[in-house]
Amino acid sequence: QVQLVESGGGLVQPGGSLRLSCAARGIIFSIYTMGWYRQAPGKQRELVAGITSGGSTNYADSVKGRFTISRDNAKNTVYLQMNSLKPEDTAVYHCNADILALQHRLRSRDDYWGQGTQVTVSS
């Protein structure tokens, strides 16, 4: 069974930094696009940043220049470095990945989500 395990959330003051990590666990053959989404209370989930298996990245306009997404393919892990955090960045952050893995003894490509990690930016 494939799982995405997130870590690194917490409480930080405005202007501070946090680094989120998301590791994919299971019998994995390939990981394609990985990304981070966030959902604030009363708002829809939105894409924060994405990265392809080749390393191409894209960002929401609201985080460009402040957040950096990266991945370590050997560790099946994606990171989100968040700098110059603002109160409006407060949300639950979810990792997402497109993965080819062994599922129920079959090779299967599916979209997976992490459980979410809370990021709170407040003084």
Side-chain angles (χ1 to χ4, degrees), residues 9 11 13 34 40 49 53 61 66 73 75 85 93 95 99 111 113 118:
L11 173 64
Q13 292 187 342
M34 305 183 83
S53 56
D61 287 343
R66 300 188 298 122
N73 292 328
K75 296 182 179 179
L85 281 160
Y93 284 70
C95 172
I99 299 175
D111 198 50
W113 290 90
Q118 177 69 47

Side-chain angles (χ1 to χ4, degrees), residues 39-114:
Q39 187 165 19
K43 294 188 177 181
Q44 289 189 330
R45 186 175 294 188
E46 63 173 353
L47 174 67
V48 176
I51 184 167
T52 68
S53 56
S56 297
T57 59
N58 64 290
Y59 297 91
D61 287 343
S62 59
V63 307
K64 282 180 181 175
R66 300 188 298 122
F67 291 10
T68 302
I69 189 170
S70 61
R71 63 191 285 172
D72 184 333
N73 292 328
K75 296 182 179 179
N76 290 338
T77 299
V78 63
Y79 306 97
L80 185 68
Q81 177 66 43
M82 304 185 293
N83 299 329
S84 302
L85 281 160
K86 304 175 181 180
E88 51 263 43
D89 294 317
T90 295
V92 177
Y93 284 70
H94 295 269
C95 172
N96 172 263
D98 178 7
I99 299 175
L100 176 65
L102 190 68
Q103 288 279 74
H104 308 297
R105 296 190 286 182
L106 295 174
R107 290 167 63 98
S108 176
R109 181 173 175 174
D110 291 291
D111 198 50
Y112 294 90
W113 290 90

Side-chain angles (χ1 to χ4, degrees), residues 4-9 20-22 36-39 45 91-96 113-119:
L4 298 183
V5 180
E6 299 158 346
S7 61
L20 305 183
S21 300
C22 171
W36 289 95
Y37 289 72
R38 67 186 180 188
Q39 187 165 19
R45 186 175 294 188
V92 177
Y93 284 70
H94 295 269
C95 172
N96 172 263
W113 290 90
Q115 79 284 358
T117 185
Q118 177 69 47
V119 171

Side-chain angles (χ1 to χ4, degrees), residues 17-30:
S17 298
L18 282 175
R19 188 191 196 210
L20 305 183
S21 300
C22 171
R25 309 277 190 222
I27 302 175
I28 294 169
F29 302 113
S30 295

